[in-house]
Amino acid sequence: MAFSFNPTAQDFHPVGSQSETPELPDLEHASMCDGAEISEVERGGQYAITAYLKENGWESSKGDAHFNKQRRVADEPTEKDARFFYNMMQKMGRDMNKATRAFDLSGVKKPALLDMCMAPGAFLVQILDKYPNAQVRAMSLPLKDGGHQVRLGHHNVAVEFRDITMLAADMSMQIEDVPASGPDPGNLEFAKVFSDSERFDLVLCDGAVRRTHQRTTWREGREATRLTITQLAIGLEHLNNGGTMADSISAKTLVLEWKKKYKVATVGADEEYSKIQKVSNHDAQAALDEFGKEFIVMGRKIWKLQAESLAKASFMKSEHGSQGKGDQSEGIGQKDRF
């Protein structure tokens, strides 16, 4: 069955004021679980509700103020905010492991871990609580460059403060690859920091670009790509999976492809970079044809949670409605997380 996934909220007309929470359909146990065809209502209904609420949220001046405050708290958190987010990330780690067993190292005698963007260290807390003998190599953006504070202290964790997007040699770049006429590449490192034989049983790649990160102008539009590719390429290349993943032909091919994209994103011209970022309609449709059902199954719970959270958010209330007080943190309330 072919999918053309473009649901809209045009037919969604909520009853009552914005301060009321709409009755959301329970699609968690819909026919998809029984292998039946997915109806247009199932495919678009939950997404349409979420899209409607998002659209109204974006148009709200209270929404602008709310997200500006969130960004400020994320960029310059108080000690109370930092503790709140650290504890919240630990809970996320527990939930993620419970759902996926991603942190299960029960079959490994002496686990070796790599955390590409460690700070504050909440995910490692969950792993080390269960596997205290695990050896961890961790990297984190220095505080002086806008990085988060590392809150985890453990004798088995060796933290290196560095900007991993500058690990040019580990991404198979040489100094000769930097064009003389191009922008200053900055502090690209042309000496490897990982040995070719270094392997890890678990690699964490959850780093995201920081607005407070001080970097040269040419990096601004490409930093997210460079950070993601660096984590994936180095992580997969040094992942130990019994010789069946990191040493497979498909994995090696993927690593080489990522490294080529890193080189373009680092020293390539704008036109060349635009080409590697472009995804054609044909590619998107091919992905939907192959994984469309799985996308919807995964998305259904997320859309439902987003819709419920948006409907209860303080900035979605009417001018005369009650305001969500939230809890715990100065900058973000329990009801205002999406």
Side-chain angles (χ1 to χ4, degrees), residues 8-233:
T8 67
Q10 294 177 352
D11 297 325
F12 177 65
H13 303 288
V15 178
S17 69
Q18 277 191 328
S19 62
E20 298 175 356
T21 302
E23 186 70 25
L24 302 176
D26 181 11
L27 301 180
E28 187 171 343
H29 304 292
S31 61
M32 184 63 218
C33 299
D34 299 324
E37 292 288 303
I38 302 175
S39 70
E40 287 295 325
V41 173
E42 284 182 311
R43 286 202 286 130
Q46 189 68 66
Y47 185 93
I49 295 173
T50 308
Y52 172 85
L53 292 169
K54 281 184 176 180
E55 182 179 349
N56 281 267
W58 302 153
E59 293 176 354
S60 167
S61 59
K62 291 182 180 179
D64 292 339
H66 169 79
F67 286 108
N68 285 335
K69 187 176 183 180
Q70 276 194 324
R71 283 189 286 270
R72 176 182 61 78
V73 171
D75 292 344
E76 300 176 1
T78 64
E79 175 60 23
K80 181 180 179 181
D81 291 326
R83 286 199 310 270
F84 174 79
F85 285 117
Y86 184 54
N87 292 332
M88 184 173 70
M89 286 185 68
Q90 289 189 51
K91 183 180 184 303
M92 289 169 58
R94 288 192 295 270
D95 292 344
M96 181 169 63
N97 186 52
K98 183 178 179 181
T100 67
R101 299 186 67 188
F103 301 157
D104 184 3
L105 298 169
S106 56
V108 183
K109 290 184 178 180
K110 294 182 179 180
L113 280 65
L114 172 63
D115 194 337
M116 296 292 290
C117 294
M118 173 195 174
F123 288 168
L124 285 181
V125 170
Q126 305 306 311
I127 300 169
L128 290 169
D129 279 349
K130 190 170 183 180
Y131 307 103
N133 67 324
Q135 296 293 321
V136 182
R137 183 176 184 181
M139 299 184 179
S140 191
L141 186 69
L143 275 174
K144 65 180 180 62
D145 293 333
H148 288 288
Q149 180 181 0
V150 173
R151 303 186 72 87
L152 169 65
H154 194 284
H155 62 278
N156 283 359
V157 179
V159 185
E160 303 165 31
F161 291 96
R162 61 171 77 248
D163 180 352
I164 65 169
T165 68
M166 306 306 279
L167 300 180
D170 290 281
M171 293 298 288
S172 300
M173 270 189 64
Q174 300 177 356
I175 194 167
E176 292 79 11
D177 293 323
V178 181
S181 59
D184 180 5
N187 299 319
L188 287 173
E189 297 187 41
F190 291 102
K192 283 190 173 184
V193 301
F194 289 93
S195 67
D196 293 339
S197 61
E198 200 167 2
R199 292 291 182 270
F200 302 93
D201 301 296
L202 176 64
V203 180
L204 301 179
C205 303
D206 64 323
V209 174
R210 293 273 289 155
R211 282 183 296 272
T212 55
H213 183 190
Q214 302 298 314
R215 49 187 176 262
T216 53
T217 304
W218 70 266
R219 295 173 60 180
E220 290 300 328
R222 306 183 180 191
E223 196 68 0
T225 298
R226 296 178 67 249
L227 179 58
T228 299
I229 289 175
T230 301
Q231 293 179 87
L232 293 176

